[in-house]
Amino acid sequence: MPDFTLPGFDLATFIRETLAEDLGEGLPGGGRDVTSESVIPAEARFTGVMDSRDAIVVAGLPVAEAIFRHLDPDCRIEALVADGDQVPAGTDLMRIEGRARALLTAERSALNIVQHLSGIATLTRAYVDAMREGSATCTLLDTRKTIPGLRFLEKYATRQGGAQNHRMGLWDAAMIKDNHVAVAGSVGEAVRRAREAGVEKIICEVDRLDQIEPALQAGAHHLLLDNMDPATLAEAVRLVAGRVPTEASGGVNLQTIAAKAASGVDFISVGRLTQSAPAADIGLDFKPL
């Protein structure tokens, strides 16, 4: 298995569960690749090339390699590019050689993860490039809008595209939003309660300029400026005056991100990076040896 580690992510378990799902482990008649077993001779060997039909930012190759090696530990794999590389359409990404049945069984799971993660990385890079038209220093953030079970991989992919991870989950920072404020009674009261609870990092969402000072006075460490237009964002940045980092969120797309970045905010967060990035068009063609 390749040396691929992410804190909190168990690659071996992920591969076992992914392949078990595809093979129907535990289901009546499941636990096998019926097509490969019936069509491909047991001794047959394949060689193949994984290639991109789109211009992409690559992500997920080490995971794909681990999937292939799980079913054929002796297969030969040569990565031709690295995660994070930006490559044109038609680029060969990986060469593979090994037992035909094993490689065919692993093919769809391996392709799915590279297509999905490369799609996220590619969209992320597009947002970074668009953001740079408005600011040379603003940082793109991802969000918790991830597919359950894939958060660590999806946030890995945004890093390959040039973003920075925001919260990994509910545990590493308080994020006070409108529903918390509704229960607490005010922005200031919600922040005060988090401070009194000993929370080390408090991010507070504000959607009006008059909420900024109460949030700061109560001890917020980071302000999320929600659904503000560029002019309002610029005024919010002026009011904050560098006391805490500022983050723009909401209404961000490839057409609006430059103007929002030009407002002077430190960060811009985009849920679409992981929520709805289109998969990259990546194929894998085998031929017998």
Side-chain angles (χ1 to χ4, degrees), residues 1-3 15 45-50 60-81 83 92-99 102-104 106-107 110-111 114 284 286 289:
M1 186 174 295
D3 184 17
I15 292 171
R45 293 181 62 80
F46 263 178
T47 183
V49 176
M50 183 185 296
L61 290 185
V63 182
E65 178 179 345
I67 291 172
F68 285 117
R69 292 195 185 283
H70 183 82
L71 293 180
D72 183 1
D74 297 321
C75 68
R76 296 173 56 188
I77 295 179
E78 180 186 5
L80 304 174
V81 298
D83 278 12
D92 291 344
L93 308 178
M94 175 185 287
R95 290 196 185 96
I96 309 156
E97 179 183 325
R99 293 188 290 111
L103 298 184
L104 285 173
E107 176 188 13
L111 276 175
V114 179
L284 176 54
F286 285 119
L289 288 171

Side-chain angles (χ1 to χ4, degrees), residues 140-289:
L140 185 66
L141 301 177
D142 56 22
T143 72
R144 286 173 47 243
K145 295 178 180 179
T146 56
I147 296 174
L150 293 182
R151 176 167 298 170
F152 292 102
L153 287 176
E154 291 181 342
K155 282 180 168 280
Y156 164 80
T158 67
R159 295 199 302 273
Q160 302 314 300
Q164 179 177 307
N165 294 152
H166 208 344
R167 295 191 304 162
M168 294 302 294
L170 295 170
W171 54 272
D172 53 354
M175 172 78 85
I176 295 171
K177 304 196 78 173
D178 53 357
N179 288 329
H180 303 101
V181 172
V183 174
S186 69
V187 163
E189 178 62 16
V191 173
R192 184 190 65 79
R193 292 182 185 182
R195 285 300 297 268
E196 289 187 352
V199 178
E200 293 185 2
K201 182 176 181 181
I202 303 169
I203 304 166
C204 184
E205 177 185 275
V206 298
D207 53 21
R208 304 192 317 269
L209 295 177
D210 63 0
Q211 293 175 316
I212 290 175
E213 202 57 37
L216 293 177
Q217 290 298 319
H221 303 117
H222 179 120
L223 290 187
L224 191 159
L225 309 171
D226 189 45
N227 281 304
M228 294 183 181
D229 60 36
T232 307
L233 285 172
E235 178 62 12
V237 170
R238 187 189 69 79
L239 292 172
V240 173
R243 286 176 285 176
V244 298
T246 54
E247 170 191 345
S249 180
V252 182
N253 56 46
L254 289 170
Q255 289 69 49
T256 63
I257 192 170
K260 288 179 181 285
S263 70
V265 292
D266 300 296
F267 301 98
I268 297 179
S269 56
V270 179
R272 184 168 184 256
L273 303 180
T274 52
Q275 186 183 49
S276 53
D281 187 1
I282 295 171
L284 176 54
D285 295 315
F286 285 119
K287 61 182 180 180
L289 288 171

